[in-house]
Amino acid sequence: MNLNFEIASGTKVIFGRQSILKLGEECTKLGMNSPMLLTDPGLKSSGAIDIVFESLDKAKINFQLYDKVEANPSDTSIVDANHKFIETGCDSFIAAGGGSTMDTAKAVSVLYANGGKLSDWYGIGNILKSSPPLISIPTTAGTGSEVTNSSIVTDTKLQIKTTVRNDTMFANIAIVDSSLLAKLPKELAAGALMDALTHSIESIGSPKSSPWTEALANKSIELIGRYARKYVDDRSVEESADAISLAATLAGRAFGNTGLGIVHSLAHPLGAYHQLHHGTANGIFLPSVMKFNLPKMKKKYAEINTLLSNDTNNFKNQSELERAEDTIRKVDELARDIEIPKTLRELDITKKNLDVMSKDAVESNQVKTNPVPATEDDLKKLYEQLL
Ligand SMILES: [Fe+2]
């Protein structure tokens, strides 16, 4: 058991149905006079965040709307949002959307506070000045970005997804209200859910995992095991939407303190080169990577077996290895049940860029916290299995 660890949990979480109605008063408490509200164009036009506008109007908060957030946000989109922030005299951020929106807000806040080029702040712990206040409001349940201190951005020149990470980047408040998930398309709900499950499983495998983060990850896995199918089937049902929202936020708190593994190393280049949805990419790679990591993860995978389902049949006659293999089978079965593609071939992704994706993957930070060392050749083989 690792009893030497550091925990950062900088964001206050306000959780629960209709907690979004507290947004206006929380802005006032934080002294936000002119926040920029970031969202993406699809979410705005769907009406899913009308309640966010209503809460701000009711509290007479004068906000500037920025609804041009991109999926897999690029460095250029972050520069654009920063210009708008400065031009309109904003003093704080509200991010209402999925991981891309929340990551955009965090990256813009770094650029605004520290100046220079965004690439000056790539990496971990390089940032000098504190960011303006930020309230994050997730409208998907998966990324956990509402409680993490990092932002994933796509560098358009280098064609890589990279990280900007520092404790100054924590949102002040995360409002996690599962009623905002009701209009989320089924495919996105499924992909985001696999992102959350990957966060928990990769967090448990990290050498930085501790009893603290493992408790969060285990609870997250248990909630996903119990409610995933019901939630993806109907995102408007309170019990399952609450459970998966909680699972995603707990997983965010876990991996924010431990780092991730090579599922993420493999998934990020697919976002950069093929614009594949991050969670869907994770869902495709998770079972194969669990097999790759099995030699080091036998005990942990065996332990989470019963969290994924209550099915304890024949456990008395099963070895630890058999239980661990059964866990991988259950993860694969869950991905199939919620219609995550089994391979990249099904998405018409070809071997184009395979060499450069393998190179980018091996250079990612997540390789360092994967339980089993992975070479560029290992990662290339994992791509090839699914192409
Ligand atoms: Fe992720």
Side-chain angles (χ1 to χ4, degrees), residues 332-350:
D332 193 47
E333 194 176 81
L334 170 61
R336 298 295 79 73
D337 287 351
I338 61 172
E339 296 175 23
I340 297 291
K342 196 169 174 59
T343 65
L344 298 169
R345 282 187 296 279
E346 288 168 48
L347 300 170
D348 293 328
I349 293 174
T350 64

Side-chain angles (χ1 to χ4, degrees), residues 10-11 102-111 113-114 118 121-127 129-136 145-153 163-173:
T11 302
M102 294 184 281
D103 281 10
T104 296
K106 284 187 266 186
V108 176
S109 77
V110 166
L111 192 57
N114 294 277
L118 188 62
W121 313 114
Y122 291 170
I124 299 171
N126 296 326
I127 294 152
K129 293 181 186 162
S130 296
S131 293
L134 164 64
I135 297 180
S136 282
S145 179
E146 65 275 13
V147 290
T148 67
N149 62 350
S150 59
S151 174
I152 307 289
V153 295
T163 307
V164 183
R165 182 172 159 198
N166 201 61
D167 284 349
T168 56
M169 293 169 65
F170 278 117
N172 299 64
I173 296 171

Side-chain angles (χ1 to χ4, degrees), residues 142-143 152 194-196 198-199 202 255 260 264 268 278-279 282:
T143 70
I152 307 289
M194 289 309 292
D195 192 23
T198 306
H199 292 158
E202 297 215 291
F255 89 79
L260 292 160
H264 276 75
H268 284 151
H278 171 67
N282 283 335

Side-chain angles (χ1 to χ4, degrees), residues 16-43:
R17 300 289 271 199
Q18 306 307 320
S19 55
I20 191 62
L21 299 175
K22 296 178 183 163
L23 172 62
E25 67 182 77
E26 292 300 328
C27 289
T28 306
K29 280 192 218 164
L30 282 173
M32 293 176 155
N33 289 316
S34 179
M36 174 187 262
L37 170 61
L38 295 101
T39 191
D40 68 72
L43 196 61

